[in-house]
């Protein structure tokens, strides 16, 4: 019998029962040296049993602060007013000791970083047992048995042995599963998930979302899902609340808000997302500007300075959240004018599509990688170390990039993407394999000046723009540094820096500011300007937009598109977001344990994926379309990426392959003993490495969202499906 069946209170009808959690006129202020920051300004919502509320918005919109206020976990300098009631009991004003009776028992939380949520010196079993015994009289033996049961529910393999493991012995996805197990240990009626999948690979993200659905089904809990990923909300939420500048600006059923947004900010968010299911080449919708500084109370609509349809009346007081359709509310005086729009392009200024009409064959090859290997020796011993094996980080890569082309490398963390980039950037003649830049092999280069010249043609843009910029340097000094190294005069440096700032969409007059005075998107543009300083032929982009909000991300992606078309620059692009990869790339290589398992034209690979791993990656990307996301087939891979220390003898993917599981024993033996080579699929330049690409594989239909009671919701099920 499930936990939900054990607790009759969890089976209340979400459409007619009383809300399990009600928030009314919630305000949160933080006292700072500069003044009082009004981080949350009048949040109202009801959470019904068994339902999922998605909360979305840019960084700083007040999403996480709202959740922490509900949990009573805000810092001492926070002043919270309003009302938060759980089952009719007021929570605001309770002491920390009184709140601890609700936290973990009635209201549980899943945080973004699982490692910081777990104590490293205690086993995961002990931490689950602690959560159980803190809220009930249960013996150690029964608590341990329940801990094993919970680990099994959330999909931890061999739970009877892994219950005694420590957090560092788990992968990121498995640690997040443990955190979910702790959250559901006491059958809470409310689960708050704050960005639970942000730092995870797409395949692990799909597993965690599936686990959250199972957890909700087991407990019958209501869920608040806080995320910046609109695709995740489309697949899991019943209702969505869009927050901006600390307050809700649109709220309603997820289908209505996605299909008929009535607030320009929501329209912009939906238009700024690249789509993995669309081959159409179009510019994304950037939302220019930055959210307001909440040290100063807005006197009009806080979105007006960034809104393309704002009028003078928008500045006459903040518009209230009011009904625009049954169950659908928006805070915009022009919401009725949005009824007739077809998309964000109708109201937001969108740059023209960057045309790059050259075909691949006539272009010059600017970077060629031949049979690249990078093996790391595994040493053992304290005083006298000896090599006992190799870790094969990169194991035989071949690809080339032509002028004005973007080649993307995708795959899970640990597959060798970043190692490949570092090997290319090092340009050492001792490299195992060969790297050819503009026709010059690194094997033929001996003098330092020649290596420096080669490196000037290959530049790197890092994932974290703030970590890549020296905070003590002005923007001028950051961008001018490579120019000064190359011998440019002060006057030429200043002229070039101003030109570069205009090129990447920054104000040249801001060249004497420091990086901390710019937003995240602007800092990434500074990094791109620095990479462009010496007119390189190739720019290597290591997750250049993963740390940015979707609205800011759109502007950076549009910039990269236009630089490629206008300057003829080539990109080697590494990312985990396949929607971004499809939007910007011409070719894509799918990497697994140091090797390509599929490579070819990006539209060919995405529209006709052949290798089971590619198909699993693509199925794991959530779509920002509730209708499509509701009916998709998901290929859930079992387990995590194997350690390079324990590579299989034959096909590296066999241990997780959904095709392998359905093969007869003879064909399984072939997968276990032979390594599949990259072979053609019939389409030009499309190669894949699987012996049985046409075989059936097991898929999981994306669970329908809660539509009736917690116990009546459809269960996830598996079924056979062919390409």
């Amino acid at each position: 019998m499930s936990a939900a069946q054990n607790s009759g209170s969890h089976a209340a009808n979400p459409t007619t029962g009383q809300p399990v959690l009600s928030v009314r006129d919630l305000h949160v202020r933080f006292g700072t040296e500069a003044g009082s920051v009004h981080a949350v300004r009048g949040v109202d919502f009801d959470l019904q049993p068994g339902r999922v509320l998605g909360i979305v918005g840019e960084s700083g919109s007040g999403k996480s602060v709202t959740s922490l206020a509900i949990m009573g976990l805000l810092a001492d300098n926070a002043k919270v007013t309003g009302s938060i009631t759980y089952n009719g009991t007021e929570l605001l004003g309770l002491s920390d000791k009184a709140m601890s009776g609700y936290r973990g028992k009635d209201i549980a939380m899943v945080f973004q970083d699982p490692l910081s949520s777990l104590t490293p010196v205690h086993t995961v079993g002990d931490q689950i047992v602690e959560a159980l015994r803190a809220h009930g009289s249960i013996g150690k033996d029964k608590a341990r048995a329940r801990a094993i049961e919970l680990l099994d529910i959330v999909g931890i393999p061999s739970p009877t042995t892994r219950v005694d493991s420590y957090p560092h012995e788990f992968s990121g996805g498995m640690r997040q599963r443990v955190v979910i197990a702790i959250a559901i240990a006491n059958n809470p009626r409310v689960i708050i998930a704050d960005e639970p999948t942000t730092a995870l690979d797409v395949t692990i993200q799909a597993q965690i979302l599936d686990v959250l659905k199972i957890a909700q089904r087991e407990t019958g809990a209501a869920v608040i899902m806080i995320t910046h990923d609109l695709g995740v909300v489309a697949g899991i939420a019943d209702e969505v609340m869009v927050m901006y500048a600390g307050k809700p600006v649109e709220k309603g059923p997820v289908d209505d808000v996605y299909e008929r947004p009535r607030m320009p900010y929501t329209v912009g968010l939906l238009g700024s997302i690249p789509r993995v299911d669309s081959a159409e080449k179009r510019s994304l919708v950037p939302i220019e500007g930055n959210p307001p500084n909440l040290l100063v109370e807005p006197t009009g609509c806080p979105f007006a300075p960034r809104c393309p349809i704002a009028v003078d009346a928008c500045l006459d007081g903040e518009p209230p959240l009011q009904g625009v359709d049954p169950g659908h509310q928006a805070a915009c005086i022009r919401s009725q004018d949005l009824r007739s729009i077809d998309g964000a392009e109708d109201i937001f200024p969108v740059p023209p599509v960057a045309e790059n009409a050259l075909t691949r064959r006539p272009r010059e090859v600017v970077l060629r990688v031949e049979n690249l290997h990078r093996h790391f020796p595994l040493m053992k011993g304290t005083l006298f170390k000896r090599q006992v094996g190799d870790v094969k980080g990169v194991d035989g890569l071949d690809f080339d990039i032509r002028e004005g082309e973007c080649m993307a490398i995708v795959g899970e963390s640990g597959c060798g993407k970043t190692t490949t980039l570092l090997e290319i950037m090092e340009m050492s003649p001792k490299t195992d394999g060969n790297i050819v830049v503009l026709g010059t092999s690194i094997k033929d280069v001996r003098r330092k000046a020649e290596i420096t010249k080669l490196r000037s043609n290959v530049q790197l843009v890092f994932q974290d723009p703030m970590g890549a910029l020296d905070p003590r340097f002005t923007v001028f000094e950051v961008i001018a540094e490579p120019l000064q190294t190359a011998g440019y005069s002060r006057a030429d440096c200043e002229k070039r820096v101003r030109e570069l700032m205009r090129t990447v969409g920054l104000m040249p007059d801001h060249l004497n500011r420091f990086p901390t005075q710019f937003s995240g998107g602007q800092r990434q543009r500074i990094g791109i300007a620095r990479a462009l300083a010496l007119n390189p032929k190739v720019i290597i982009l290591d997750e250049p937009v993963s740390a940015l909000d979707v609205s800011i991300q759109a502007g950076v992606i549009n910039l990269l598109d236009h630089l490629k078309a206008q300057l003829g620059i080539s990109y080697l692009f590494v990312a985990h977001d396949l929607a971004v990869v499809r939007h910007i790339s011409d070719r894509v290589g799918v990497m697994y344990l140091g090797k390509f398992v599929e490579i070819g034209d990006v539209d060919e690979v995405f529209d006709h994926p052949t290798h089971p791993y590619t198909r699993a990656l693509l199925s794991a990307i959530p779509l920002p379309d509730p209708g499509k996301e509701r009916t998709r087939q998901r290929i859930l891979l079992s387990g995590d990426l194997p350690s390079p220390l324990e590579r299989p003898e034959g096909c590296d993917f066999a241990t997780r392959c959904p095709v392998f599981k359905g093969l007869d024993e003879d064909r399984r033996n072939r997968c276990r003993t032979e390594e599949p080579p990259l072979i053609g699929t019939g389409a030009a330049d499309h190669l894949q490495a699987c012996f049985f690409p046409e075989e059936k594989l097991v898929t999981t239909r994306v669970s329908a969202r809660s539509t009736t009671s917690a116990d009546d919701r459809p269960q996830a099920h598996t079924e056979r499906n062919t390409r």
Side-chain angles (χ1 to χ4, degrees), residues 2-16:
S2 71
Q5 291 169 317
N6 284 329
S7 177
S9 62
H10 289 178
N13 189 325
T15 59
T16 60

Side-chain angles (χ1 to χ4, degrees), residues 638-690:
S638 58
D640 299 316
L641 194 74
S643 167
L645 293 172
E646 303 172 351
R647 295 181 70 138
E649 289 292 327
C651 174
D652 290 334
F653 189 56
T655 57
R656 304 171 71 197
C657 182
V659 167
F660 177 84
K661 297 173 183 177
L663 298 177
D664 57 55
E665 194 58 31
D666 288 341
R667 290 189 293 177
R668 284 189 179 188
N669 282 332
R670 186 182 182 190
C671 294
R672 293 190 186 106
T673 57
E674 295 182 41
E675 184 178 336
L678 278 170
I679 58 174
T681 63
D685 297 324
H686 186 184
L687 307 174
Q688 66 86 33
C690 179

Side-chain angles (χ1 to χ4, degrees), residues 498-515:
R498 288 182 178 275
E499 176 188 343
L500 288 167
M501 291 188 73
R502 280 191 292 267
T503 299
V504 299
L506 295 173
M507 296 288 290
D509 293 341
H510 295 167
L511 55 82
N512 290 319
R513 294 186 178 184
F514 290 90

